Structures are given as C-alpha cells and as structure tokens.
Amino acid sequence: MLRHLKTLLLILLSLIFLLVVGVYVSLNLSLPKLSGEVPTSQISAKTSIGRDRLGTAVIHAENRQDAAFALGFAHGQDRFFQMDLLRRNSAGELAELFGKPAVKLDESRRFHQLRARAEQIYRRLPTAQQQLLQRYADGVNRAFAEQSLPSFEYLLTRAKRQPWRPADSLLVIYSMYLDLQGNTLKRDLTLEHIERRFGSGMRAFITQTSNYQAALDDSLFPSDPPVIPKVSASLSPSQKQSTASTLAQRLAVTIEEPVEVGSNNWAVTGKMTRTGSAMLSDDMHLSFAVPIIWYRAQLNYPDGEGRAVQVTGVSLPGAPAIVVGSNGKLAWGFTNAYIDTADWVALAQDEPLKVVHETIKLPKGEQDYPLTLSRFGPVRRLGEQAYALAWVAHQEYAVNMELMALEQIDNVPEAMAKASGFGIPVQNLMLADDKGHAAWQLAGAVPARTNTSDIALPGEEIVWDKWQERDEVLPSLQDPTSDRLWSANARVMSTQEAERYGDGGYALGARSAQIRDRLQEQELFDESDFYRIQLDNQARFYRLWQAYLLESLMREPKRFAKDIVQLRDWQECACAESVGFTLVKAFRSQVLDSAFAPVEAELNSAQLSLSVLKRYLEPAIWQLLKQQPADWLPQDVADWDELVIASYVTARDELLNEYSEDGELSALNWGRVNTLTIQHPFSRQFPLLSRWLDMPKVAGFGDTFMPAVQRKSFGASQRFIVQPGYEERAIMAIPGGQSGHPLSKYYRAGFGEYARGAETPLLPGEIEARLTLMPSQEQD
C-alpha cells in the first residue's frame, strides 16, 4: 500500500513538474524576437528597431510610413493584449474575452456605437492618414505573425487574437474619450436629477465656486456663498424615514472618492532657464495597470524635404503617434481640459425614437442589447423622463491623426495654429521651444454651441447640428509677462472664456494653486527644480481640516489623547510616515459622506452618485460646518459637534479595522494606507498570479490636492521634463516596463527608478538588441 502511495505521489509530482516546464516553455516561445532580421513586403526601405536597457523602441526609418510600420511592429510585439483591451473597451467587446461579468460594461460602451463611428471616420480621413494607419496596422499584424505562440493572456482565456485594423487605432483614441470625459456625462445627469429632486438652490449650493482659483490671468468668479437649502424640504415623510435619517444610517453611506483623471503641466520661458530654451513639465494622471499605458519610443526619419526628424517621448500602444515628447526644437504635453463637451436633451413625450439591436458576443453564444436612438443621440431614461446624449465624441471630427503634425513643427506659434484641428479629447496643450517661447493652448475637439448648461435642456434649445468650427480661435496664452504657465485640470482660461466653454468637471483648483505658488518661489529653474515640484506632497489644502479636527478633538482631550499627538505631528505632508495625514484625509471624506448622505441616498435610487461632484463640495461643507443648520442633521443627533466627532471615530475605526492588528494608530501611516499597488488585470481575478504579474508594492505618498498625485492604483503615469535642444538632460520616468510579457527583461524595467523618484533619462541609452526589417518582394 505504501509503495503504491509513493508511486502515485511520484507520478503526481512528475505531472506537476511537466506542467510547470510546459508553461515555462510556452511562455518562452511567446517571447518576441528582438534581434536579427525580418523580411516584409510592407516597407519601402531597410528599417530598424533597437532596444536599450529600458526596452525603449528606437526606430530608424527612411520615411514616416515605414516608421509607422515599425512602431506598430514594436507595439504588437510588446503590448498586443493591452491594445486589444483598449479597442474592445471602447467598442464594447470585452465580454467576448471575459464572459458575462463584462456584459454591463459592454452595454455602457455600445450606448455610444463607437466601432461604427470609428469605421465611418476612417473612411473620411485624408488619404495620407489612412495610409499611415494602414501601415501601422500592417506592422502590428506582422509582429504577431512572427510569434511562435500567442501571449499568455490568450492561452489563459483560450481566446483567438483578431488582426489589427486601421480603424482600431481610432477606437484606442475613443478609449481616452471614455476615460477623460466619462465623468462629464455623469456629472450633468447627476446635476439634472439634483435639480429635479431638490431644486435649483441645491444645485447652486453644491456647485458654488471655491476660493481655489488659479487661472492664468488671475481672473476670479465670485465666491459669495449661496443660501443653504433645506435638505429635508424635498423629501416625502416616507423618504425621510428611509433616506439616511439617523446617525447610523448617515455613517453607513459612502460617497466613492472620484478618480481625478487628469494631469499637471507647466512651463517657463527661456528667460527663466540658464540655457535660454523654454522648459516644460508634464505628468499625466491615469489609473495604473500592468503594463502601464504608455510606451517609450524614439522615431528617426527624414521629413518630406530630407531633413532629419528625431522625436522622443511616449506613445499609446494602438496608435502610431508620439503623444507627449520633444523633437529637439519643440516639446509638448497635455492635461485634461474639462470644458463642457456634452449636452443631455430632455426629450418631449412625442419625440420620434427608434430602437436598434447591438449583438454582444460571449465566449459561448451572444446577447442582444436594445439601444434607443433619437435625432440628438442615444437615449437613457431616468424614471419617466427620457434623455438623449449629444456628445462631442459622437461627431465626425472627434478623432483623427492631426496630432502627429507636432513631430515636424519646430516652434510654438506654428504648433498653436494646428491645435484646433486635433481629433483628441480636448486638452490643455503646453508647449515649449528651443527659442525660449512657451505657451498654453486649448486643443482638441470643441463644441461650437455656446449655450452650455449643467443640466438637461429641452430639444428646442439644443443646437445639436452645429459643433466645432475649424476657424474658431481657441483660448491660448503665449510668453506671459510672468514667464510662467501652469494647468492642472482646474480652470485655466479667463472667466469670460469659461462662460463660453462651460464646466465639464473642473478640478477644485488646490493643485493648480500650489503649482503656481511653487513657480513663483524662484526666478531660475532647471530640470531638478521641476522634478521637485512634480514630487511636492506638502498638504497645504488640508491645513484647515487638520486645524478643525484638532480643535474638535481637544474638547475631549483624555478620550483622544493619542489621536491629538498624531495630529500635531502630521508634518503637513502626505508623507509615507505620517499617521496624522491619514487621519485628516479620512476625517474630511467621512464628514462629506455624513453631511451629504441624504442627497447621495436619493441619487443612488436613480443609479447615480455624488461621487462625480465630490470635489465640488469643499466650499459647501465649510458653509455647513460654520452655519450648522439643524435641518441637515440626522434626527437622533443633537448638534453638529456630535456629527463631526462621530464621523471622525467612524473613519478612524474603519482604518484601524483594516490596517491595525493591535488597534494602535501607528499602523495607519500614509505609506501603508496608500501603498502603491500596480496590478495586472489577471492578478485581480487570480491573486495567486500577483507575485509573477504585478509590480512590487511601494510605500505610497502624495494625494489628490497637491502636485504629487497618487492613490493606490492611480497617479502620474509618466513624469516628463525637458528643455528642447537639451534632451540629454531631460527626464522621463514611468511606473512600469515596456513589455507586457512577464518573462521579458523589460517587464519591470524602470519601475524601481520611478518608485525612488530617480531622474530616469528621456533619451535612450546604449542599444542592446536590434531587429532589422528588410524589404522583400515576397508577400507577408
């Protein structure tokens, strides 16, 4: 019997060994070929792809078409699964990979019919752009034709890779629309519901202007507080009993912290550098995953007149462009502009509607999704009211490849003139050139209609067929008298311009103000000075909250003795070792949740949330704390002091339950609570894979309301600083590696430098692998 058990155990161990070996061999066979030659009939001349220690794709080509093929080839080698997810995300085709759990997300994407729009737009693009996208797609498809086995993601899902099509690159741009403007759509619909349920006074109260305004012209909107509305006045007796009416119910409500999708960028003119070149800083804030969204690349090719072009920066796998970078003469970077780019239309009862049927494919079978359409756009219902969405992303000019013109422009004024034609989600474009010029320019797809609104409008007030006019002069500012420019997702333009372009979800402004103030502290800057601003985690915004909380707890000094010690020693920063910062941040969030719980509960009943408006609530919550209206208190609470203390205790105890085994506050240091955790999509579903697929966990620092933006899986997706003409001193740090293959040496390359705050060079280093693409007469 024992002998049989030993035999079975030996067989089992052998099978496990063979399985491990098989998996390892399969993974190795799926590694891309990075050296040698690849013949192809789809290029006109010899083209090379080199890789340095970080895996940067260094491309040398004889023309831009061949460079597009080579970039597509490199993207296809290193990032095809990521590219596949991006196109599927915007097209609403993820359920084909992941099954029924992805159906709801797919339905929300099919609402916009973006695949059909991308294909229609591709057919209307200029011939040169069509050819470029086709060459890029050829490169992607040639790359995975070279692989012996598909990447491990396809082996695990047992899904078949679909070839890359030219219109898929436009779907990748649409994915950025969904990320960058998705909350704009939710914001307006949420405000519409607030207006209908609580009245215009509540909407004005929630969206009142804050004191954190940092426009480039120093213009200010009046910030006089409105009258506090009576929150219970709009609720029926039954709703009052069920909608967060008691303290326990209030404390149980959580308004999810919004993901502040956006960025920082700033620039100074050549008067403020030792070289005379202007200097640019750009760090784009996005959700983190493995691999990280950006891909390091350098393109080298001659322009149409034979002049050498070298452009270095980051590309977006799925598109043939350098999104942020420098060509040695001109550098550019972006932040999300958050102007109003959409209108919800309150449809009349007799509005003609039609229903189309979208088919959502599953690994086995398919599912029907009926979509209601109107002349204004797709339709959603809230209760008995139907609303149609008119969104700039639905327009034929929403996506194109005009951004690529920046590669061959050598000065700021010419770049500014091109900006209105960019088919991208509207951005704050920051520019710097080697002649010392710096500029901010609104760039991208902008609606032409001028009757912007925070709430839905009746159909007769919607100028739905009149959008961007190509000759419209968009807001801009070049070489200001201060020699400083900045943007950080808050209002940049003047109040007059802001009236024209509307508010699509501006950031509060605290981050912009802190960057502005930092720039005013010096008269001369270099790259290291800019990097210090990017890493600035001083908690200026939280000063009032720390003082208010400390004052509240001092009313019971014995009960909160340990808490008071930590709050006094908070270091006024979102530092890894600070416990006090953790307590202050959690307290603020819980006070907001407790105070606005009745509004949130009402919104939840309509599948909406204040989350998209939470950053607007800062002036409103201070008005409540100062005036302390009894109408806003739970029924079983005597005064606001009781609500405040209860909010703090709830926030603290929830943190202790999650992070402290012994109930000691010392476990709540910000580095632990805000640990940087960058995961592969598969490890989120299968935690056992985390060790092999995820980036190492790092003690976190930074927060939303300061230049150093970081949450657990969100933050600066790249840190870029450059003086055009002095790229050898430039910085490009990225929180992840180039390759999406876990056995690649480039899978985590560069992450450690990012985590340490090291100044990773922009320019590629010594080439350690080179692949040569050779023109061939044979068809691929």
Side-chain angles (χ1 to χ4, degrees):
M1 182 67 179
L2 184 60
R3 183 169 28 173
H4 287 306
L5 287 174
K6 288 182 177 179
T7 302
L8 288 173
L9 181 60
L10 183 62
I11 292 172
L12 180 61
L13 290 173
S14 298
L15 289 173
I16 292 173
F17 175 76
L18 290 173
L19 177 64
V20 170
V21 170
V23 170
Y24 183 79
V25 170
S26 296
L27 286 173
N28 269 283
L29 287 174
S30 65
L31 277 167
K33 175 183 177 181
L34 302 184
S35 298
E37 290 188 0
V38 174
T40 175
S41 63
Q42 295 166 317
I43 57 173
S44 62
K46 177 180 174 182
T47 302
S48 68
I49 307 171
R51 260 82 169 198
D52 69 349
R53 68 175 182 88
L54 295 173
T56 307
V58 182
I59 293 169
H60 288 267
E62 292 303 314
N63 54 68
R64 188 59 178 88
Q65 298 281 339
D66 287 355
F69 180 92
L71 186 59
F73 194 97
H75 285 167
Q77 285 187 309
D78 291 331
R79 299 288 190 89
F80 185 79
F81 184 71
Q82 175 198 4
M83 296 160 59
D84 196 9
L85 290 185
L86 284 173
R87 66 175 170 178
R88 287 177 179 274
N89 172 60
S90 55
E93 298 168 356
L94 288 170
E96 190 173 4
L97 281 181
F98 301 114
K100 287 193 174 182
V103 167
K104 285 297 182 185
L105 179 60
D106 276 359
E107 289 178 348
S108 72
R109 301 322 197 202
R110 292 294 181 96
F111 183 78
H112 303 291
Q113 299 182 301
L114 296 179
R115 178 169 286 286
R117 297 183 195 281
E119 291 171 353
Q120 291 169 5
I121 288 174
Y122 173 73
R123 291 192 290 269
R124 297 191 188 105
L125 288 176
T127 301
Q129 292 187 30
Q130 288 182 340
Q131 291 174 344
L132 198 77
L133 290 174
Q134 182 64 63
R135 286 293 168 268
Y136 176 82
D138 292 340
V140 174
N141 295 328
R142 188 72 179 93
F144 76 69
E146 284 289 307
Q147 288 184 270
S148 302
L149 284 176
S151 61
F152 79 96
E153 296 96 341
Y154 293 101
L155 295 174
L156 286 176
T157 59
R158 291 182 292 178
K160 184 179 179 181
R161 294 177 300 177
Q162 300 298 323
W164 195 262
R165 297 187 291 177
D168 291 343
S169 292
L170 303 183
L171 281 171
V172 168
I173 301 175
Y174 273 131
S175 265
M176 298 309 294
Y177 267 99
L178 293 166
D179 278 352
L180 298 176
Q181 295 184 6
N183 276 350
T184 297
L185 314 184
K186 297 175 185 177
R187 171 189 179 275
D188 285 9
L189 207 56
T190 301
L191 288 172
E192 164 73 8
H193 193 70
I194 288 171
E195 175 114 348
R196 285 178 176 263
R197 291 299 299 115
F198 294 95
S200 59
M202 181 66 78
R203 177 168 67 90
F205 178 61
I206 285 174
T207 59
Q208 63 181 287
T209 303
S210 84
N211 292 324
Y212 295 100
Q213 300 182 55
L216 292 177
D217 69 344
D218 295 323
S219 61
L220 297 174
F221 277 114
S223 55
D224 297 331
V227 174
I228 299 177
K230 290 188 177 298
V231 70
S232 62
S234 301
L235 300 175
S236 67
S238 61
Q239 288 174 316
K240 291 177 184 178
Q241 293 299 318
S242 61
T243 308
S245 58
T246 67
L247 177 61
Q249 289 173 328
R250 289 280 190 101
L251 296 175
V253 171
T254 298
I255 304 171
E256 185 178 349
E257 291 293 326
V259 175
E260 296 274 358
V261 176
S263 312
N264 299 325
N265 64 18
W266 60 87
V268 296
T269 70
K271 294 178 182 178
M272 305 197 76
T273 67
R274 293 179 178 85
T275 64
S277 173
M279 186 159 59
L280 167 74
S281 173
D282 187 84
D283 53 292
M284 296 182 284
H285 307 151
L286 295 168
S287 295
F288 289 160
V290 177
I292 209 68
I293 191 168
W294 305 116
Y295 185 89
R296 304 174 73 103
Q298 183 186 81
L299 307 183
N300 297 270
Y301 62 92
D303 67 12
E305 298 179 5
R307 293 173 298 194
V309 174
Q310 181 182 86
V311 56
T312 312
V314 292
S315 58
L316 176 62
I322 299 297
V323 178
V324 166
S326 176
N327 63 19
K329 300 287 187 180
L330 177 77
W332 59 93
F334 297 98
T335 71
N336 201 29
Y338 281 113
I339 66 168
D340 187 5
T341 56
D343 294 316
W344 285 98
V345 186
L347 299 177
Q349 292 293 325
D350 60 350
E351 178 68 37
L353 302 175
K354 68 175 181 177
V355 176
V356 298
H357 292 269
E358 295 277 328
T359 300
I360 296 176
K361 293 183 180 179
L362 298 165
K364 293 182 180 179
E366 56 188 36
Q367 187 163 317
D368 179 65
Y369 171 57
L371 174 61
T372 304
L373 300 176
S374 72
R375 60 193 170 107
F376 303 104
V379 176
R380 174 178 175 178
R381 287 189 177 274
L382 282 181
E384 297 299 315
Q385 178 62 56
Y387 298 94
L389 176 64
W391 183 24
V392 72
H394 296 165
Q395 306 305 308
E396 65 179 24
Y397 61 85
V399 292
N400 60 40
M401 302 310 299
E402 294 290 338
L403 172 67
M404 294 175 59
L406 292 175
E407 292 179 10
Q408 297 182 29
I409 292 175
D410 64 6
N411 63 84
V412 162
E414 187 179 346
M416 295 171 72
K418 291 282 187 181
S420 64
F422 293 171
I424 58 174
V426 62
Q427 299 286 294
N428 295 306
L429 170 62
M430 199 69 73
L431 298 161
D433 68 25
D434 63 342
K435 302 170 186 66
H437 300 300
W440 160 77
Q441 170 75 63
L442 198 67
V446 176
R449 57 91 172 93
T450 56
N451 59 331
T452 61
S453 176
D454 284 342
I455 58 174
L457 296 172
E460 58 268 21
E461 294 185 25
I462 297 294
V463 191
W464 66 277
D465 59 347
K466 184 176 185 292
W467 290 78
Q468 183 183 36
E469 300 196 5
R470 290 303 188 183
D471 59 353
E472 180 178 3
V473 178
L474 299 179
S476 64
L477 179 61
Q478 179 184 333
D479 299 335
T481 55
S482 70
D483 295 305
R484 301 165 175 88
L485 295 159
W486 58 88
S487 81
N489 310 124
R491 176 174 62 88
V492 180
M493 63 188 71
S494 69
T495 54
Q496 183 178 0
E497 290 168 329
E499 293 284 355
R500 151 68 180 94
Y501 293 98
D503 181 355
Y506 281 135
L508 180 63
R511 185 159 36 97
S512 297
Q514 192 159 329
I515 291 169
R516 175 201 61 199
D517 295 346
R518 291 301 192 197
L519 290 174
Q520 292 174 348
E521 291 174 356
Q522 292 179 229
E523 296 298 323
L524 204 60
F525 294 90
D526 61 20
E527 289 82 358
S528 294
D529 295 322
F530 270 25
Y531 207 24
R532 279 193 292 274
I533 300 176
Q534 286 191 358
L535 300 177
D536 178 17
N537 64 350
Q538 185 182 14
R540 295 185 179 188
F541 169 78
Y542 289 95
R543 287 170 176 168
L544 288 174
W545 285 102
Q546 185 266 354
Y548 184 84
L549 176 57
L550 191 58
E551 181 183 0
S552 298
L553 299 188
M554 285 296 292
R555 298 189 185 104
E556 300 180 65
K558 289 184 179 180
R559 179 185 177 189
F560 296 111
K562 292 182 179 180
D563 309 68
I564 290 168
V565 169
Q566 296 291 352
L567 288 168
R568 284 176 171 168
D569 190 35
W570 76 309
Q571 302 172 67
E572 200 182 280
C573 67
C575 305
E577 64 275 12
S578 177
V579 173
F581 179 81
T582 303
L583 297 175
V584 172
K585 179 176 174 60
F587 167 67
R588 174 185 178 272
S589 186
Q590 184 60 60
V591 168
L592 286 168
D593 293 353
S594 301
F596 287 91
V599 180
E600 176 68 3
E602 170 60 30
L603 289 170
N604 290 168
S605 67
Q607 290 77 54
L608 297 170
S609 173
L610 270 174
S611 174
V612 293
L613 299 166
K614 198 168 185 178
R615 58 180 171 267
Y616 284 83
L617 301 179
E618 184 69 10
I621 188 61
W622 281 112
Q623 193 176 352
L624 289 172
L625 291 173
K626 289 174 181 177
Q627 297 185 25
Q628 302 191 354
D631 177 71
W632 281 69
L633 288 174
Q635 293 175 356
D636 55 347
V637 169
D639 55 36
W640 276 84
D641 289 343
E642 183 180 348
L643 180 62
V644 165
I645 292 298
S647 296
Y648 170 71
V649 171
T650 297
R652 181 200 62 188
D653 290 353
E654 287 179 355
L655 287 168
L656 288 171
N657 288 337
E658 183 173 357
Y659 296 102
S660 179
E661 295 179 0
D662 57 7
E664 289 297 321
L665 291 174
S666 57
L668 305 184
N669 64 81
W670 186 235
R672 184 180 183 190
V673 173
N674 195 40
T675 298
L676 181 60
T677 307
I678 306 180
Q679 295 182 280
H680 191 282
F682 282 14
S683 76
R684 293 171 184 163
Q685 302 300 319
F686 308 103
L688 288 176
L689 297 176
S690 179
R691 177 181 175 185
W692 293 277
L693 297 183
D694 296 346
M695 293 297 116
K697 291 185 178 181
V698 178
F701 80 108
D703 180 59
T704 301
F705 299 111
M706 56 193 63
V709 170
Q710 192 208 300
R711 291 170 63 175
K712 288 185 177 182
S713 59
F714 179 86
S717 59
Q718 45 70 245
R719 296 178 181 139
F720 174 49
I721 301 167
V722 65
Q723 296 185 65
Y726 297 87
E727 279 72 17
E728 70 280 1
R729 295 157 47 167
I731 297 167
M732 179 66 81
I734 298 176
Q738 284 281 93
S739 175
H741 197 299
L743 292 187
S744 170
K745 65 185 295 186
Y746 304 125
Y747 188 70
R748 293 185 175 89
F751 173 78
E753 295 171 43
Y754 175 94
R756 296 193 306 272
E759 297 184 4
T760 307
L762 166 70
L763 290 181
E766 182 179 351
I767 299 301
E768 57 183 39
R770 189 183 303 277
L771 187 69
T772 303
L773 307 175
M774 297 296 295
S776 167
Q777 297 302 314
E778 298 181 9
Q779 294 298 310
D780 294 351

